[in-house]
Amino acid sequence: MNSAGGREVPEPDPPCEQPAITEAHPVITDVPKDELGAPGLSRPAADVPAVGSEPTPAVAAPLDEEPASRTESLPSDQVLSKVTAFAPLEIVDVNDLDWKAVLDRASPSSIRSEIRSTVESMEGLLDRADGPGMLFDTFRADPTDKVIKISDFDTEIPLWIIGDLHGDLLALEAALGATRQPDLQPGEGPPRILFLGDLFDDEGFGLEILLRVFELIVDAPDRVCVIAGNHDEALSYDGVRFASSVTPSDFADFLNANLTHEWIERAGKLAVRLFTNAPRALFFPDGLLAAHGGFPLVDLHPALAESGEWNNPMCLSDFVWTRAHPKARRKLPNRFSRGSQFGYEDFAAFCSLSAGLGRPVTHMVRGHDHVDERYASFPAYRANPLLTTVALSRRLSREAFGPYERVPTMARYVEGALPSVYRLHIPAEMIRACYPQPAADSIDYHPSQEPQP
């Protein structure tokens, strides 16, 4: 069957049962300034267990309203009895990295000292006639395909997943250190890394994060994939100045303040080039969907079912911008705001739709929502589980509650299950060395000093 644009659309698959998940980790989510935020649940009193107890949830009322009763918020036991349960979410606490080596690597001056070499190498890679050859590029239907169906995936080689960084150089180096730790490295071969987007903005070291990711790509492009987040996608350049369509946008301000610095300006242009053609979503063979935000919302399903056109601009936007509501059944799509939310029945509907289009989805990994514990898997999504993971070691200025020092997380791909979560217990004194807490948590703080041991 062919779409209107000539692309082949697979024949619908027979309906398949969806798996369930047996654990969840409710958390508080922050509410960004620029988008609708997802209301969160209370933070657990205990220190994040591997298998959390489920709170008594309230049920979502009709579309876009808060839950009104306690009897129908989660899939019924009768429904759950008909589906196959996912394995419990695996949580690994990482305490024994070489933290001094991590701090030494998180050196802005060292990274900036190599800026010319890094930028020139990355420019050469993106200028290649056959493309940069990054991880999963071989599965693109064409060079402009941003919703990639992965048909063959070697599960023996580790795939590490790193969520939102927002300039957190310390968290990035801790995550990279964990990927090199022999006792944390299952399988064989050099590890692969999937970034879920949002590399900059929210203060921190946005330029250094960008340069460090460029270094990783140049060193082994076939082992690195970078999905575009909303802050990455929002960055633009008109030939004179940089701009951003999202708030906060301090990285664009930084680039504009340094337009006379040739290599900083060129690094910014490279970021725009990279993210313009970066993937917005990955469909893995085992049913895992990876994206920064979410998936095409229900109002797009009829057209998507008819055309099979995953690269429709509205679909691409939903992969990047949408947010998960922790307990609502359904949320009415709000096309006046790119930060529209979805509920667990919306995700189930998308899983059914994707199966009919030859891309079965049963579970998802994403970033975007700055959850308090830096990872979350909500009880309401047990039939089609969803994992949120972000790598932020500090409380951002736009986060209203919680401790200043956080435990950033990363995840590791596990075939047929939610990715395993790795909690990186960076010493608190190191976090404050890199990100001194501003007086009264002033939002005007912008770090510029070298971290001290």
Side-chain angles (χ1 to χ4, degrees), residues 375-407:
Y375 79 101
S377 177
F378 299 117
Y381 292 80
R382 63 174 69 181
N384 295 108
L386 177 152
L387 173 66
T388 299
T389 174
V390 295
L392 296 168
S393 67
R394 71 202 191 280
R395 186 180 71 240
L396 302 181
S397 295
R398 56 185 165 124
E399 293 181 284
F401 305 105
Y404 185 69
E405 301 91 349
R406 302 298 177 94
V407 180

Side-chain angles (χ1 to χ4, degrees), residues 120-418:
E120 288 181 334
S121 298
M122 190 67 187
E123 287 174 338
L125 191 67
L126 294 186
D127 286 342
R128 283 171 32 174
D130 56 350
M134 292 177 62
L135 179 63
F136 306 128
D137 277 358
T138 57
F139 297 106
R140 291 182 189 251
D142 58 63
T144 64
D145 182 19
K146 299 176 184 177
V147 185
I148 302 175
K149 178 183 178 181
I150 302 168
S151 57
D152 182 24
F153 185 68
D154 189 347
T155 59
E156 295 300 315
I157 303 175
L159 175 67
W160 295 93
I161 303 166
I162 301 177
D164 300 31
L165 285 160
H166 288 288
D168 201 324
L169 185 60
L170 181 63
L172 173 59
E173 293 300 343
L176 295 177
T179 69
R180 295 187 291 263
Q181 188 88 339
D183 59 335
L184 299 178
Q185 187 76 301
E188 300 179 354
R192 300 166 293 185
I193 300 176
L194 167 60
F195 290 97
L196 295 179
D198 277 9
L199 300 187
F200 40 74
D201 284 335
D202 284 285
E203 304 147 9
F205 301 96
L207 175 65
E208 289 76 12
I209 285 282
L210 191 63
L211 294 173
R212 194 70 179 89
V213 171
F214 287 169
E215 290 177 0
L216 295 171
I217 295 172
V218 169
D219 182 59
D222 61 338
R223 297 205 300 268
V224 180
C225 178
V226 183
I227 287 178
N230 58 313
H231 284 261
D232 313 311
E233 181 181 89
L235 184 68
S236 62
Y237 181 70
D238 64 4
V240 179
R241 293 181 63 81
F242 293 91
S244 178
S245 61
V246 70
T247 300
S249 56
D250 47 274
F251 187 59
D253 296 338
F254 167 81
L255 293 173
N256 287 328
N258 288 274
L259 290 175
T260 58
H261 191 299
E262 176 185 359
W263 300 104
I264 292 179
E265 181 187 27
R266 286 168 68 169
K269 293 177 183 178
L270 273 176
V272 174
R273 289 183 62 188
L274 175 66
F275 289 114
T276 295
N277 199 43
R280 270 46 175 182
L282 303 173
F283 289 75
F284 287 83
D286 70 333
L288 177 68
L289 171 66
H292 176 72
F295 47 84
L297 298 179
V298 292
D299 59 328
L300 303 182
H301 290 190
L304 185 56
E306 182 177 351
S307 69
E309 182 45 70
W310 293 98
N311 286 275
N312 176 288
M314 294 183 71
C315 291
L316 296 180
S317 179
D318 283 357
F319 282 122
V320 175
W321 290 86
T322 54
R323 296 187 178 277
H325 192 288
K327 57 186 179 181
R329 293 159 106 192
R330 300 180 301 275
K331 298 292 286 185
L332 186 66
N334 178 4
R335 293 300 170 189
F336 295 99
S337 170
R338 290 178 293 185
S340 191
Q341 293 177 314
F342 59 84
Y344 66 84
E345 287 188 357
D346 297 320
F347 186 38
F350 175 76
C351 291
S352 177
L353 170 71
S354 62
L357 292 174
R359 299 189 181 202
V361 172
T362 55
H363 53 304
M364 181 178 185
V365 62
R366 61 188 293 277
H368 199 29
D369 294 324
H370 303 158
V371 289
D372 185 55
E373 297 291 345
R374 301 321 195 203
Y375 79 101
S377 177
F378 299 117
Y381 292 80
R382 63 174 69 181
N384 295 108
L386 177 152
L387 173 66
T388 299
T389 174
V390 295
L392 296 168
S393 67
R394 71 202 191 280
R395 186 180 71 240
L396 302 181
S397 295
R398 56 185 165 124
E399 293 181 284
F401 305 105
Y404 185 69
E405 301 91 349
R406 302 298 177 94
V407 180
T409 67
M410 61 190 297
R412 179 178 57 81
Y413 176 88
V414 178
E415 186 176 18
L418 279 181

Side-chain angles (χ1 to χ4, degrees), residues 11-31:
E11 292 294 333
D13 293 341
C16 59
E17 294 181 335
Q18 305 298 340
I21 190 166
T22 59
E23 83 304 319
H25 304 274
V27 296
I28 295 174
T29 57
D30 72 307
V31 182

